[in-house]
mmCIF file of all heavy atoms in Angstrom:
data_model
loop_
_atom_site.group_PDB
_atom_site.id
_atom_site.type_symbol
_atom_site.label_atom_id
_atom_site.label_comp_id
_atom_site.label_asym_id
_atom_site.label_seq_id
_atom_site.Cartn_x
_atom_site.Cartn_y
_atom_site.Cartn_z
ATOM 1 N N ASP A 174 -22.740 -2.963 -10.758
ATOM 2 C CA ASP A 174 -23.860 -2.945 -11.821
ATOM 3 C C ASP A 174 -24.131 -1.416 -11.981
ATOM 4 O O ASP A 174 -24.195 -0.684 -10.879
ATOM 5 C CB ASP A 174 -24.976 -3.733 -11.389
ATOM 6 C CG ASP A 174 -24.668 -5.250 -11.608
ATOM 7 O OD1 ASP A 174 -23.724 -5.669 -12.280
ATOM 8 O OD2 ASP A 174 -25.446 -6.033 -10.944
ATOM 9 N N ILE A 175 -24.521 -0.981 -13.077
ATOM 10 C CA ILE A 175 -24.949 0.285 -13.439
ATOM 11 C C ILE A 175 -26.513 0.324 -13.480
ATOM 12 O O ILE A 175 -27.155 -0.583 -14.063
ATOM 13 C CB ILE A 175 -24.313 0.708 -14.773
ATOM 14 C CG1 ILE A 175 -22.919 0.671 -14.643
ATOM 15 C CG2 ILE A 175 -24.852 2.103 -15.087
ATOM 16 C CD1 ILE A 175 -22.165 0.695 -15.962
ATOM 17 N N GLY A 176 -27.105 1.392 -12.959
ATOM 18 C CA GLY A 176 -28.542 1.525 -13.030
ATOM 19 C C GLY A 176 -28.874 2.906 -12.971
ATOM 20 O O GLY A 176 -28.386 3.849 -12.523
ATOM 21 N N PHE A 177 -30.204 3.121 -13.487
ATOM 22 C CA PHE A 177 -30.815 4.521 -13.572
ATOM 23 C C PHE A 177 -32.263 4.556 -13.279
ATOM 24 O O PHE A 177 -32.912 3.465 -13.556
ATOM 25 C CB PHE A 177 -30.493 5.011 -15.061
ATOM 26 C CG PHE A 177 -29.155 4.804 -15.511
ATOM 27 C CD1 PHE A 177 -28.790 3.808 -16.172
ATOM 28 C CD2 PHE A 177 -28.297 5.889 -15.145
ATOM 29 C CE1 PHE A 177 -27.493 3.772 -16.676
ATOM 30 C CE2 PHE A 177 -26.894 5.842 -15.577
ATOM 31 C CZ PHE A 177 -26.547 4.691 -16.305
ATOM 32 N N THR A 178 -32.750 5.627 -12.823
ATOM 33 C CA THR A 178 -34.094 5.989 -12.761
ATOM 34 C C THR A 178 -34.379 7.145 -13.678
ATOM 35 O O THR A 178 -33.620 8.076 -13.666
ATOM 36 C CB THR A 178 -34.506 6.316 -11.279
ATOM 37 O OG1 THR A 178 -34.068 5.256 -10.446
ATOM 38 C CG2 THR A 178 -35.942 6.540 -11.130
ATOM 39 N N LEU A 179 -35.486 6.982 -14.471
ATOM 40 C CA LEU A 179 -35.716 8.016 -15.513
ATOM 41 C C LEU A 179 -37.191 8.421 -15.455
ATOM 42 O O LEU A 179 -38.014 7.561 -15.069
ATOM 43 C CB LEU A 179 -35.470 7.435 -16.939
ATOM 44 C CG LEU A 179 -34.058 6.863 -17.105
ATOM 45 C CD1 LEU A 179 -34.212 5.502 -17.102
ATOM 46 C CD2 LEU A 179 -33.564 7.291 -18.500
ATOM 47 N N ARG A 180 -37.421 9.652 -15.833
ATOM 48 C CA ARG A 180 -38.836 10.089 -15.917
ATOM 49 C C ARG A 180 -38.836 11.092 -16.914
ATOM 50 O O ARG A 180 -38.128 12.141 -16.904
ATOM 51 C CB ARG A 180 -39.255 10.706 -14.559
ATOM 52 C CG ARG A 180 -40.787 11.095 -14.468
ATOM 53 C CD ARG A 180 -41.093 11.601 -13.066
ATOM 54 N NE ARG A 180 -42.446 11.899 -12.912
ATOM 55 C CZ ARG A 180 -43.368 11.081 -12.451
ATOM 56 N NH1 ARG A 180 -43.038 9.836 -12.158
ATOM 57 N NH2 ARG A 180 -44.698 11.486 -12.443
ATOM 58 N N SER A 181 -39.772 11.041 -17.927
ATOM 59 C CA SER A 181 -40.108 11.870 -19.041
ATOM 60 C C SER A 181 -41.307 12.527 -18.900
ATOM 61 O O SER A 181 -42.294 11.951 -18.598
ATOM 62 C CB SER A 181 -39.901 11.153 -20.310
ATOM 63 O OG SER A 181 -40.155 12.020 -21.489
ATOM 64 N N ASN A 182 -41.476 13.819 -19.179
ATOM 65 C CA ASN A 182 -42.760 14.486 -19.225
ATOM 66 C C ASN A 182 -43.488 14.098 -20.461
ATOM 67 O O ASN A 182 -44.683 14.550 -20.560
ATOM 68 C CB ASN A 182 -42.563 15.940 -19.034
ATOM 69 C CG ASN A 182 -41.961 16.698 -20.191
ATOM 70 O OD1 ASN A 182 -41.256 16.097 -21.077
ATOM 71 N ND2 ASN A 182 -42.315 17.981 -20.356
ATOM 72 N N GLN A 183 -42.939 13.488 -21.420
ATOM 73 C CA GLN A 183 -43.596 13.100 -22.598
ATOM 74 C C GLN A 183 -43.296 11.645 -22.885
ATOM 75 O O GLN A 183 -42.272 11.173 -22.609
ATOM 76 C CB GLN A 183 -43.196 13.906 -23.889
ATOM 77 C CG GLN A 183 -43.476 15.376 -23.921
ATOM 78 C CD GLN A 183 -43.144 16.247 -25.012
ATOM 79 O OE1 GLN A 183 -42.847 15.549 -26.037
ATOM 80 N NE2 GLN A 183 -43.142 17.566 -24.965
ATOM 81 N N GLY A 184 -44.299 10.946 -23.473
ATOM 82 C CA GLY A 184 -44.102 9.588 -23.694
ATOM 83 C C GLY A 184 -43.304 9.372 -24.992
ATOM 84 O O GLY A 184 -43.174 10.397 -25.784
ATOM 85 N N GLY A 185 -42.851 8.228 -25.248
ATOM 86 C CA GLY A 185 -42.087 7.968 -26.499
ATOM 87 C C GLY A 185 -41.279 6.725 -26.404
ATOM 88 O O GLY A 185 -41.588 5.884 -25.665
ATOM 89 N N TYR A 186 -40.170 6.772 -27.044
ATOM 90 C CA TYR A 186 -39.261 5.582 -27.090
ATOM 91 C C TYR A 186 -37.913 6.026 -26.634
ATOM 92 O O TYR A 186 -37.234 6.955 -27.044
ATOM 93 C CB TYR A 186 -39.147 5.065 -28.476
ATOM 94 C CG TYR A 186 -40.364 4.516 -29.156
ATOM 95 C CD1 TYR A 186 -41.310 5.387 -29.795
ATOM 96 C CD2 TYR A 186 -40.783 3.360 -28.923
ATOM 97 C CE1 TYR A 186 -42.568 4.935 -30.248
ATOM 98 C CE2 TYR A 186 -41.984 2.756 -29.394
ATOM 99 C CZ TYR A 186 -42.832 3.635 -30.078
ATOM 100 O OH TYR A 186 -43.998 3.086 -30.443
ATOM 101 N N LEU A 187 -37.422 5.121 -25.584
ATOM 102 C CA LEU A 187 -36.210 5.581 -24.856
ATOM 103 C C LEU A 187 -34.984 4.838 -25.569
ATOM 104 O O LEU A 187 -35.100 3.598 -25.716
ATOM 105 C CB LEU A 187 -36.343 5.101 -23.435
ATOM 106 C CG LEU A 187 -35.037 5.329 -22.570
ATOM 107 C CD1 LEU A 187 -34.689 6.760 -22.428
ATOM 108 C CD2 LEU A 187 -35.219 4.670 -21.197
ATOM 109 N N TYR A 188 -33.997 5.621 -25.634
ATOM 110 C CA TYR A 188 -32.659 4.974 -26.172
ATOM 111 C C TYR A 188 -31.569 5.425 -25.308
ATOM 112 O O TYR A 188 -31.496 6.624 -24.801
ATOM 113 C CB TYR A 188 -32.427 5.555 -27.519
ATOM 114 C CG TYR A 188 -33.437 5.054 -28.586
ATOM 115 C CD1 TYR A 188 -34.485 5.962 -28.819
ATOM 116 C CD2 TYR A 188 -33.194 4.017 -29.329
ATOM 117 C CE1 TYR A 188 -35.521 5.517 -29.738
ATOM 118 C CE2 TYR A 188 -34.199 3.582 -30.222
ATOM 119 C CZ TYR A 188 -35.277 4.318 -30.361
ATOM 120 O OH TYR A 188 -36.357 3.934 -31.351
ATOM 121 N N VAL A 189 -30.658 4.540 -24.916
ATOM 122 C CA VAL A 189 -29.513 4.783 -23.986
ATOM 123 C C VAL A 189 -28.356 4.347 -24.821
ATOM 124 O O VAL A 189 -28.122 3.215 -25.084
ATOM 125 C CB VAL A 189 -29.606 4.105 -22.583
ATOM 126 C CG1 VAL A 189 -28.424 4.466 -21.819
ATOM 127 C CG2 VAL A 189 -30.964 4.426 -21.979
ATOM 128 N N VAL A 190 -27.431 5.346 -25.016
ATOM 129 C CA VAL A 190 -26.109 5.073 -25.839
ATOM 130 C C VAL A 190 -24.921 5.429 -24.905
ATOM 131 O O VAL A 190 -24.922 6.459 -24.255
ATOM 132 C CB VAL A 190 -26.104 5.833 -27.174
ATOM 133 C CG1 VAL A 190 -24.828 5.602 -27.899
ATOM 134 C CG2 VAL A 190 -27.343 5.547 -27.874
ATOM 135 N N LEU A 191 -23.984 4.596 -24.819
ATOM 136 C CA LEU A 191 -22.740 4.743 -24.038
ATOM 137 C C LEU A 191 -21.525 5.029 -24.901
ATOM 138 O O LEU A 191 -21.387 4.336 -25.960
ATOM 139 C CB LEU A 191 -22.445 3.524 -23.271
ATOM 140 C CG LEU A 191 -21.212 3.609 -22.372
ATOM 141 C CD1 LEU A 191 -21.461 3.126 -20.957
ATOM 142 C CD2 LEU A 191 -20.036 2.791 -23.012
ATOM 143 N N LEU A 192 -20.778 6.187 -24.692
ATOM 144 C CA LEU A 192 -19.554 6.287 -25.313
ATOM 145 C C LEU A 192 -18.474 5.882 -24.322
ATOM 146 O O LEU A 192 -18.422 6.333 -23.222
ATOM 147 C CB LEU A 192 -19.286 7.815 -25.625
ATOM 148 C CG LEU A 192 -17.915 8.266 -26.070
ATOM 149 C CD1 LEU A 192 -17.473 7.514 -27.427
ATOM 150 C CD2 LEU A 192 -17.886 9.679 -26.313
ATOM 151 N N SER A 193 -17.727 4.948 -24.737
ATOM 152 C CA SER A 193 -16.742 4.206 -23.851
ATOM 153 C C SER A 193 -15.534 5.230 -23.506
ATOM 154 O O SER A 193 -15.299 6.204 -24.304
ATOM 155 C CB SER A 193 -16.144 3.062 -24.482
ATOM 156 O OG SER A 193 -15.239 2.415 -23.630
ATOM 157 N N SER A 194 -14.880 4.917 -22.399
ATOM 158 C CA SER A 194 -13.770 5.785 -21.976
ATOM 159 C C SER A 194 -12.582 5.772 -23.025
ATOM 160 O O SER A 194 -11.802 6.614 -22.992
ATOM 161 C CB SER A 194 -13.223 5.323 -20.710
ATOM 162 O OG SER A 194 -12.865 3.985 -20.679
ATOM 163 N N ASP A 195 -12.646 4.811 -24.033
ATOM 164 C CA ASP A 195 -11.578 4.830 -25.067
ATOM 165 C C ASP A 195 -11.957 5.907 -26.168
ATOM 166 O O ASP A 195 -11.106 6.119 -26.968
ATOM 167 C CB ASP A 195 -11.431 3.443 -25.703
ATOM 168 C CG ASP A 195 -12.575 2.992 -26.543
ATOM 169 O OD1 ASP A 195 -13.552 3.782 -26.697
ATOM 170 O OD2 ASP A 195 -12.446 1.762 -26.950
ATOM 171 N N ARG A 196 -13.146 6.548 -26.017
ATOM 172 C CA ARG A 196 -13.495 7.611 -27.049
ATOM 173 C C ARG A 196 -13.654 7.055 -28.471
ATOM 174 O O ARG A 196 -13.784 7.867 -29.383
ATOM 175 C CB ARG A 196 -12.819 8.883 -26.963
ATOM 176 C CG ARG A 196 -12.565 9.460 -25.642
ATOM 177 C CD ARG A 196 -14.050 9.966 -25.095
ATOM 178 N NE ARG A 196 -13.950 10.460 -23.879
ATOM 179 C CZ ARG A 196 -14.359 9.929 -22.761
ATOM 180 N NH1 ARG A 196 -14.848 8.665 -22.816
ATOM 181 N NH2 ARG A 196 -14.340 10.551 -21.565
ATOM 182 N N LYS A 197 -13.784 5.707 -28.611
ATOM 183 C CA LYS A 197 -13.874 5.222 -29.950
ATOM 184 C C LYS A 197 -15.032 4.258 -30.030
ATOM 185 O O LYS A 197 -15.577 4.006 -31.243
ATOM 186 C CB LYS A 197 -12.644 4.349 -30.263
ATOM 187 C CG LYS A 197 -11.417 5.108 -30.351
ATOM 188 C CD LYS A 197 -10.215 4.350 -30.612
ATOM 189 C CE LYS A 197 -8.823 5.121 -30.527
ATOM 190 N NZ LYS A 197 -7.692 4.318 -30.583
ATOM 191 N N SER A 198 -15.573 3.744 -28.935
ATOM 192 C CA SER A 198 -16.541 2.717 -29.019
ATOM 193 C C SER A 198 -17.952 3.230 -28.471
ATOM 194 O O SER A 198 -17.968 3.875 -27.424
ATOM 195 C CB SER A 198 -16.188 1.481 -28.102
ATOM 196 O OG SER A 198 -14.897 1.067 -28.459
ATOM 197 N N PHE A 199 -18.991 3.090 -29.231
ATOM 198 C CA PHE A 199 -20.347 3.365 -28.827
ATOM 199 C C PHE A 199 -21.010 2.118 -28.695
ATOM 200 O O PHE A 199 -20.947 1.147 -29.446
ATOM 201 C CB PHE A 199 -21.100 4.127 -29.955
ATOM 202 C CG PHE A 199 -20.613 5.567 -30.163
ATOM 203 C CD1 PHE A 199 -19.617 5.907 -30.907
ATOM 204 C CD2 PHE A 199 -21.257 6.573 -29.405
ATOM 205 C CE1 PHE A 199 -19.106 7.280 -31.026
ATOM 206 C CE2 PHE A 199 -20.827 7.911 -29.505
ATOM 207 C CZ PHE A 199 -19.767 8.226 -30.324
ATOM 208 N N TYR A 200 -21.960 2.087 -27.684
ATOM 209 C CA TYR A 200 -22.724 0.855 -27.343
ATOM 210 C C TYR A 200 -24.214 1.385 -27.126
ATOM 211 O O TYR A 200 -24.409 2.263 -26.226
ATOM 212 C CB TYR A 200 -22.183 0.219 -26.192
ATOM 213 C CG TYR A 200 -20.872 -0.333 -26.323
ATOM 214 C CD1 TYR A 200 -19.765 0.387 -25.681
ATOM 215 C CD2 TYR A 200 -20.471 -1.513 -27.009
ATOM 216 C CE1 TYR A 200 -18.526 -0.030 -25.982
ATOM 217 C CE2 TYR A 200 -19.280 -1.937 -27.069
ATOM 218 C CZ TYR A 200 -18.187 -1.166 -26.548
ATOM 219 O OH TYR A 200 -16.930 -1.658 -26.678
ATOM 220 N N VAL A 201 -25.126 0.655 -27.721
ATOM 221 C CA VAL A 201 -26.534 0.994 -27.414
ATOM 222 C C VAL A 201 -26.924 0.108 -26.221
ATOM 223 O O VAL A 201 -26.937 -1.151 -26.462
ATOM 224 C CB VAL A 201 -27.502 0.602 -28.628
ATOM 225 C CG1 VAL A 201 -28.947 0.851 -28.241
ATOM 226 C CG2 VAL A 201 -27.117 1.626 -29.819
ATOM 227 N N LEU A 202 -27.001 0.624 -25.006
ATOM 228 C CA LEU A 202 -27.451 -0.179 -23.862
ATOM 229 C C LEU A 202 -28.866 -0.573 -23.818
ATOM 230 O O LEU A 202 -29.233 -1.526 -23.314
ATOM 231 C CB LEU A 202 -27.052 0.589 -22.690
ATOM 232 C CG LEU A 202 -25.464 0.988 -22.414
ATOM 233 C CD1 LEU A 202 -25.345 1.736 -21.196
ATOM 234 C CD2 LEU A 202 -24.663 -0.273 -22.583
ATOM 235 N N PHE A 203 -29.681 0.268 -24.357
ATOM 236 C CA PHE A 203 -31.117 0.039 -24.297
ATOM 237 C C PHE A 203 -31.817 0.858 -25.598
ATOM 238 O O PHE A 203 -31.402 1.996 -25.821
ATOM 239 C CB PHE A 203 -31.758 0.651 -23.087
ATOM 240 C CG PHE A 203 -33.248 0.350 -22.867
ATOM 241 C CD1 PHE A 203 -33.640 -1.051 -22.632
ATOM 242 C CD2 PHE A 203 -34.210 1.318 -23.002
ATOM 243 C CE1 PHE A 203 -34.923 -1.301 -22.388
ATOM 244 C CE2 PHE A 203 -35.483 1.033 -22.836
ATOM 245 C CZ PHE A 203 -36.032 -0.217 -22.548
ATOM 246 N N PRO A 204 -32.547 0.111 -26.423
ATOM 247 C CA PRO A 204 -33.077 -1.246 -26.152
ATOM 248 C C PRO A 204 -31.954 -2.127 -26.562
ATOM 249 O O PRO A 204 -31.014 -1.844 -27.151
ATOM 250 C CB PRO A 204 -34.256 -1.416 -27.184
ATOM 251 C CG PRO A 204 -33.969 -0.256 -28.219
ATOM 252 C CD PRO A 204 -33.224 0.789 -27.545
ATOM 253 N N ASN A 205 -32.215 -3.397 -26.149
ATOM 254 C CA ASN A 205 -31.137 -4.411 -26.343
ATOM 255 C C ASN A 205 -31.718 -5.754 -26.750
ATOM 256 O O ASN A 205 -33.053 -5.932 -26.734
ATOM 257 C CB ASN A 205 -30.231 -4.589 -25.240
ATOM 258 C CG ASN A 205 -30.899 -4.765 -23.959
ATOM 259 O OD1 ASN A 205 -31.709 -5.792 -23.885
ATOM 260 N ND2 ASN A 205 -30.737 -4.037 -22.926
ATOM 261 N N GLY A 206 -30.923 -6.806 -26.977
ATOM 262 C CA GLY A 206 -31.444 -8.183 -27.391
ATOM 263 C C GLY A 206 -32.207 -8.750 -26.150
ATOM 264 O O GLY A 206 -33.059 -9.681 -26.419
ATOM 265 N N LEU A 207 -32.103 -8.329 -24.964
ATOM 266 C CA LEU A 207 -32.783 -8.933 -23.798
ATOM 267 C C LEU A 207 -34.085 -8.126 -23.492
ATOM 268 O O LEU A 207 -34.943 -8.659 -22.868
ATOM 269 C CB LEU A 207 -31.967 -8.942 -22.568
ATOM 270 C CG LEU A 207 -30.720 -9.829 -22.676
ATOM 271 C CD1 LEU A 207 -29.752 -9.511 -21.404
ATOM 272 C CD2 LEU A 207 -31.021 -11.235 -22.775
ATOM 273 N N ASP A 208 -34.219 -6.858 -23.991
ATOM 274 C CA ASP A 208 -35.300 -6.084 -23.711
ATOM 275 C C ASP A 208 -35.457 -5.091 -24.800
ATOM 276 O O ASP A 208 -34.878 -4.014 -24.832
ATOM 277 C CB ASP A 208 -35.054 -5.271 -22.450
ATOM 278 C CG ASP A 208 -36.317 -4.576 -21.920
ATOM 279 O OD1 ASP A 208 -37.300 -4.608 -22.601
ATOM 280 O OD2 ASP A 208 -36.315 -4.108 -20.773
ATOM 281 N N ALA A 209 -36.281 -5.439 -25.815
ATOM 282 C CA ALA A 209 -36.459 -4.657 -26.888
ATOM 283 C C ALA A 209 -37.620 -3.556 -26.758
ATOM 284 O O ALA A 209 -37.772 -2.688 -27.543
ATOM 285 C CB ALA A 209 -36.766 -5.475 -28.188
ATOM 286 N N ASP A 210 -38.336 -3.727 -25.683
ATOM 287 C CA ASP A 210 -39.567 -2.846 -25.517
ATOM 288 C C ASP A 210 -39.152 -1.508 -24.841
ATOM 289 O O ASP A 210 -39.018 -1.403 -23.579
ATOM 290 C CB ASP A 210 -40.585 -3.465 -24.513
ATOM 291 C CG ASP A 210 -41.833 -2.698 -24.367
ATOM 292 O OD1 ASP A 210 -41.964 -1.644 -25.120
ATOM 293 O OD2 ASP A 210 -42.595 -2.977 -23.470
ATOM 294 N N ASN A 211 -38.778 -0.539 -25.657
ATOM 295 C CA ASN A 211 -38.295 0.780 -25.141
ATOM 296 C C ASN A 211 -39.428 1.835 -25.100
ATOM 297 O O ASN A 211 -38.923 3.057 -24.820
ATOM 298 C CB ASN A 211 -37.106 1.197 -26.003
ATOM 299 C CG ASN A 211 -37.400 1.498 -27.415
ATOM 300 O OD1 ASN A 211 -38.330 0.988 -27.964
ATOM 301 N ND2 ASN A 211 -36.647 2.363 -28.074
ATOM 302 N N ARG A 212 -40.580 1.422 -25.160
ATOM 303 C CA ARG A 212 -41.641 2.518 -25.086
ATOM 304 C C ARG A 212 -41.792 2.900 -23.616
ATOM 305 O O ARG A 212 -41.834 2.044 -22.790
ATOM 306 C CB ARG A 212 -42.978 1.983 -25.674
ATOM 307 C CG ARG A 212 -44.127 2.857 -25.487
ATOM 308 C CD ARG A 212 -44.640 3.304 -26.930
ATOM 309 N NE ARG A 212 -45.813 4.103 -26.793
ATOM 310 C CZ ARG A 212 -45.814 5.400 -27.000
ATOM 311 N NH1 ARG A 212 -44.671 6.018 -27.227
ATOM 312 N NH2 ARG A 212 -46.849 6.209 -26.871
ATOM 313 N N ILE A 213 -41.889 4.129 -23.389
ATOM 314 C CA ILE A 213 -42.136 4.680 -22.057
ATOM 315 C C ILE A 213 -43.247 5.633 -22.026
ATOM 316 O O ILE A 213 -43.446 6.502 -22.912
ATOM 317 C CB ILE A 213 -40.906 5.340 -21.473
ATOM 318 C CG1 ILE A 213 -40.339 6.556 -22.203
ATOM 319 C CG2 ILE A 213 -39.774 4.350 -21.303
ATOM 320 C CD1 ILE A 213 -39.305 7.360 -21.392
ATOM 321 N N PRO A 214 -44.087 5.509 -20.988
ATOM 322 C CA PRO A 214 -45.263 6.452 -20.956
ATOM 323 C C PRO A 214 -44.780 7.763 -20.273
ATOM 324 O O PRO A 214 -43.747 7.835 -19.570
ATOM 325 C CB PRO A 214 -46.222 5.877 -20.088
ATOM 326 C CG PRO A 214 -45.508 4.705 -19.262
ATOM 327 C CD PRO A 214 -44.224 4.456 -20.089
#
């Protein structure tokens, strides 16, 4: 499983995008259908 710890000096909305190893596919990992609340303080 993949995981991260993040800390921003400014609040806002967090987006995490993955470019797959095939160099053709992009995936929005966050926000997603299971967790749409991407606001971070």
Side-chain angles (χ1 to χ4, degrees):
D174 286 339
I175 300 166
F177 308 95
T178 303
L179 308 102
R180 186 178 183 92
S181 174
N182 69 336
Q183 295 183 12
Y186 295 89
L187 174 64
Y188 297 89
V189 182
V190 180
L191 177 137
L192 170 60
S193 178
S194 57
D195 68 7
R196 302 296 178 258
K197 297 176 186 175
S198 305
F199 286 90
Y200 301 96
V201 176
L202 300 180
F203 186 72
N205 57 53
L207 298 174
D208 191 354
D210 183 12
N211 63 329
R212 178 118 176 101
I213 64 169

